[in-house]
Amino acid sequence: MKTLLIANRGEIAVRVMRTARRLGLRTVAVYSDADRDAGHVRAADAAVRIGAAAPRASYLDIEALLAAARAAGADAVHPGYGFLAENAAFAAACEAAGLVFVGPSAEAIEAMGNKALAKQRMREAGVPCIPGYDGEDTRNERFIDEAARIGFPLMVKAAAGGGGRGMRLVMQASDLPAALDSARSEAQGAFGDGRLILERALMAPRHVEVQVMADAHGRTIHLGERDCSIQRRHQKIVEEAPSPAVDAALRERMGASAVAVARQIGYRGAGTVEFLLDTDGAYYFMEMNTRLQVEHPVTEAVTGLDLVELQLRVAAGEPLPIAQEDVHLRGHAIEVRLCAESPASDFLPQTGTIARWRAAEGARTDHALRDGSVVSPWYDSMLAKVIAHGATREQAARQLADALDRTVCLGLPTNRSFLAMVLRHPAFLSGDFSTGFIGRHFPGNAERAAPVPDAVWTVAAAALATLPAPEHAVGGEFLGWSSTGVHARSVRLGLGLASGEAPRRFAVHANGDSVGVRDAQGNVRTVRWLGLPEGDRLRLELDGLACEALAVRGARGIALQMTGVEAGAEAVFEDLTFEPAASAGGPGAGGSLRAPLNGRVVKVLRQAGEAVRRGDPIVVLEAMKMEHVLAAPHDGTVAELGVDEGQQVAPGQALARVEAVQGVAQAAAVN
């Protein structure tokens, strides 16, 4: 093995390259048209274009990937995770082409790639599984009959793939048909396979998975467990090792079960056996991920092992260099997934340009970002992973929350502040939680919102009114400062459609380097600039207290993050000073249904003239590998439909307009 092609993108591609380069391997990146200038392309020794932006035209195109390997002279392929990482046909095609596939055999992937077949096989092997239905008949009528037998609540799951896509929790029989249709559509779009299974839903389980590693010489070991119970939309956002709910005896039992699963299918390489751990200590097999996991860094932190190195060595035919008795867990590690999304808008994915990116010192950050990186609607919303390792769980949580405060990702909304709130929540710190953690402790948008402190609004208003404007502003990109500015003006700021927070107006008056900022309630705060801006760094006093801010100004506003005072508080402000007030309305303002992000219209569920109730779905968008339902903002009639199925739409684009029935709009405004 001399040249390794990474059949993936983003942070995992860069992560694999890091170890490959340390082992003396040449690295090859592949890229779509959307990723032509992406970080993983820059990090590789060579790069090959494989197609258009859509995954099916690039990262899911097996022939294009094999052609790229031939063109670059690669003799091995690492699939990363996602895309084709668990595709048996891809593994087989690599082998047929004479390429080393850094992963299990196609047969092992096939055995575990279909959840239904995997569970049937595990039941035969005596591994405990959740009751459900995984038969060949996948008609809605059969599912409805089986659901009556299983009982509610239950989970609808995609038979292939993972990552929470194609998964729906169904609480009652009347909701099942719509959940089946939605899950099937999403699974087909994400994995090219719309088959589904049903499972009884455990309402307060923990998601605990066991990392296994196996070579081709008969040695199979486990590297302990990870707790991945903190999830939104059935997707993990916080992972840790070891699990606070697993003691040494349970770890031994679960580890033995995971090793048995791997041995039962003749597994080779890195894999993860996922279990649901119930409140009574019983655990049930969910699935096996036949690839490297997103959360593998926490296992690396507590074991001191490089899992990618082990993958590469096993793929090269080497025996595992360690036995089970050599595996020791030291300390505690926690990882969070930094995503381009708005927690305060039902975790809606966000697209745009990253104006400033700075990883925090003192923590491991896996990423492929830089200033100017474009977050497109074509791929997953995860931007980076931040990992902390401490002697204790409390120490790791504290270190990670602090690292998030010091991580800078300006230019578009992210979940950075929300993740810090989770890490500091008493229920998380107690270690006593389940997969329902976010629904229980952050049930609505208001609870998930990290309120923008008044100090941040004040500094933003002062900066927009009195500091120099950009010399050049192209396409709304955030650029640097220039020379002259205004000394007194009225400023109106908004936080965009994703925030749900109303715009604010300020009166700003400058007197030398001192700036008075008065809000609509008459409250006055004083900002004093301590010198001119130093790049994106602002030094100032706020009401006499020295602090700093990172600020990037653009044609349409300013992105700002505080350090010192209100450390970590951030916002992307739109300058609405010269915009009509109505333009600041939310996606459903005035009955107008607008696209909250770039995406493709996959379904138009209503017709013009049709009566709807508040909450009725009207349009379904597909973006970042998930479907997003846009519903009627109030009772009324669909007065206009502005899009067709298959159409690409941009943020803010009008999709439909719902004309309220008499009195509804007024009542909604009062409420």
Side-chain angles (χ1 to χ4, degrees):
M1 190 186 304
K2 296 180 179 179
T3 299
L4 179 69
L5 180 141
I6 298 90
N8 218 293
R9 64 181 298 278
E11 63 87 15
I12 185 54
V14 174
R15 160 71 188 95
V16 172
M17 290 174 195
R18 186 169 64 244
T19 291
R21 186 168 289 112
R22 180 171 59 78
L23 297 178
L25 300 178
R26 177 173 172 265
T27 60
V28 179
V30 293
Y31 64 91
S32 70
D33 288 344
D35 281 341
R36 187 177 299 276
D37 196 36
H40 73 280
V41 176
R42 295 182 172 220
D45 296 312
V48 181
R49 178 188 177 273
I50 52 171
R56 296 200 172 281
S58 49
Y59 297 105
L60 292 175
D61 188 333
I62 293 176
E63 290 304 317
L65 291 165
L66 295 179
R70 289 192 296 269
D75 55 359
V77 173
H78 193 300
Y81 45 68
F83 294 127
L84 294 171
E86 295 180 276
N87 186 294
F90 182 49
C94 287
E95 183 178 356
L99 299 167
V100 174
F101 182 76
V102 184
S105 66
E107 292 75 19
I109 295 174
E110 184 69 31
M112 287 291 144
N114 183 290
K115 292 183 179 68
L117 296 178
K119 289 189 176 183
Q120 293 169 14
R121 194 162 183 171
M122 290 304 102
R123 282 195 294 267
E124 294 170 0
V127 178
C129 297
I130 302 172
Y133 171 71
D134 47 33
E136 291 295 322
D137 186 353
T138 60
R139 295 173 300 123
N140 278 15
E141 293 80 7
R142 180 60 182 271
F143 280 129
I144 291 170
D145 291 342
E146 293 294 338
R149 175 184 61 83
I150 298 166
F152 291 87
L154 57 76
M155 296 296 301
V156 176
K157 288 186 174 182
R165 295 173 182 86
M167 185 182 295
R168 302 290 187 272
L169 173 63
V170 183
M171 299 300 294
Q172 56 192 14
S174 60
D175 295 335
L176 183 58
L180 290 168
D181 292 343
S182 176
R184 187 178 288 114
S185 173
E186 190 169 274
Q188 184 66 42
F191 314 119
D193 187 339
R195 290 174 296 170
L196 304 174
I197 65 172
L198 301 179
E199 285 181 355
R200 179 178 297 164
L202 303 179
M203 295 312 293
R206 296 183 82 111
H207 183 137
V208 178
E209 61 190 30
V210 178
Q211 176 72 58
V212 295
M213 187 70 68
D215 62 23
H217 303 274
R219 173 172 286 179
T220 304
I221 63 174
H222 74 84
L223 304 179
E225 82 285 350
R226 297 183 289 257
D227 197 311
C228 308
S229 301
I230 308 298
Q231 305 176 1
R232 55 95 177 94
R233 289 182 168 177
H234 308 296
Q235 292 180 300
K236 309 163 189 173
I237 55 172
V238 181
E239 301 105 343
E240 57 184 305
S243 168
V246 175
D247 59 18
L250 181 56
R251 178 173 301 116
E252 185 175 353
R253 295 198 303 274
M254 295 184 76
S257 292
V259 167
V261 169
R263 285 178 174 158
Q264 209 267 347
I265 61 170
Y267 197 77
R268 180 192 70 232
T272 297
V273 182
E274 301 198 346
F275 299 98
L276 285 180
L277 177 62
D278 210 351
T279 52
D280 60 0
Y283 60 89
Y284 303 93
F285 172 82
M286 280 202 302
E287 61 182 333
M288 183 177 187
N289 293 134
T290 53
R291 54 169 168 82
L292 193 68
Q293 292 280 85
V294 175
E295 56 271 23
H296 75 274
V298 294
T299 297
E300 293 183 325
V302 297
T303 63
L305 300 169
D306 184 329
L307 269 61
V308 174
E309 178 178 349
L310 292 179
Q311 281 188 299
L312 293 170
R313 293 194 181 281
V314 166
E318 298 180 24
L320 280 173
I322 55 173
Q324 189 64 63
E325 57 267 24
D326 300 320
V327 178
H328 303 286
L329 307 184
R330 297 179 177 86
H332 202 96
I334 308 176
E335 170 186 291
V336 293
R337 304 189 188 191
L338 181 67
C339 299
E341 65 184 21
S342 173
S345 297
D346 294 322
F347 299 101
L348 190 71
Q350 302 292 305
T351 58
T353 300
I354 296 176
R356 289 292 183 273
W357 165 256
R358 302 288 185 274
E361 295 182 2
R364 171 177 169 177
T365 302
D366 287 6
H367 70 93
L369 304 173
R370 68 182 191 283
D371 293 356
S373 289
V374 175
V375 181
S376 81
W378 294 106
Y379 313 116
D380 192 88
S381 64
M382 192 180 78
L383 302 174
K385 305 178 310 197
V386 188
I387 307 100
H389 181 218
T392 66
R393 184 173 184 272
E394 181 183 9
Q395 185 183 80
R398 184 172 61 250
Q399 290 174 350
L400 187 52
D402 176 69
L404 285 169
D405 287 345
R406 293 180 291 107
T407 297
V408 177
C409 188
L410 288 174
L412 76 171
T414 73
N415 64 345
R416 184 186 62 83
S417 296
F418 174 73
L419 291 170
M421 291 186 344
V422 168
L423 293 171
R424 291 178 171 125
H425 196 282
F428 176 80
L429 294 173
S430 75
D432 183 15
F433 51 80
S434 70
T435 54
F437 174 88
I438 288 179
R440 179 178 180 183
H441 299 289
F442 299 93
N445 289 335
E447 291 84 3
R448 295 190 293 264
V452 179
D454 291 342
V456 182
W457 287 90
T458 298
V459 173
L464 275 173
T466 65
L467 289 179
E471 290 181 337
H472 305 286
V474 181
E477 292 185 8
F478 290 95
L479 306 170
W481 307 97
S482 66
S483 54
T484 61
V486 180
H487 293 286
R489 58 179 281 199
S490 173
V491 176
R492 186 166 175 270
L493 302 178
L495 290 175
L497 294 179
S499 73
E501 191 164 346
R504 300 188 191 182
R505 186 174 290 280
F506 300 88
V508 182
H509 301 276
N511 182 11
D513 59 6
S514 182
V515 183
V517 181
R518 186 178 73 247
D519 64 19
Q521 289 72 44
N523 303 307
V524 178
R525 304 190 71 170
T526 301
V527 173
R528 188 169 75 88
W529 303 120
L530 303 178
L532 292 174
E534 300 172 7
D536 56 11
R537 178 169 169 255
L538 305 181
R539 296 173 54 247
L540 63 131
E541 287 180 355
L542 179 60
D543 296 334
L545 186 62
C547 59
E548 291 189 358
L550 292 172
V552 187
R553 189 165 175 182
R556 294 197 294 262
I558 186 171
L560 187 143
Q561 181 170 328
M562 301 294 292
T563 60
V565 175
E566 303 287 1
E570 67 169 328
V572 179
F573 294 99
E574 294 178 316
D575 187 352
L576 304 175
T577 304
F578 302 107
E579 296 288 332
S583 69
S592 177
L593 207 64
R594 296 183 180 274
L597 72 169
N598 285 296
R600 183 174 67 90
V601 178
V602 293
K603 293 178 184 176
V604 177
L605 302 172
R606 295 290 188 271
Q607 297 179 352
E610 187 173 349
V612 293
R613 302 294 300 271
R614 183 177 184 272
D616 283 350
I618 295 179
V619 176
V620 180
L621 291 183
E622 181 186 59
M624 291 183 166
K625 298 160 67 173
M626 295 191 72
E627 291 189 355
H628 309 275
V629 178
L630 303 181
H634 47 238
D635 295 357
T637 302
V638 179
E640 296 178 16
L641 275 173
V643 291
D644 298 316
E645 292 185 0
Q647 182 177 338
Q648 289 290 138
V649 295
Q653 182 174 338
L655 309 179
R657 183 170 62 83
V658 177
E659 190 174 277
V661 296
Q662 188 173 6
V664 168
Q666 183 178 358
V670 171
N671 292 332

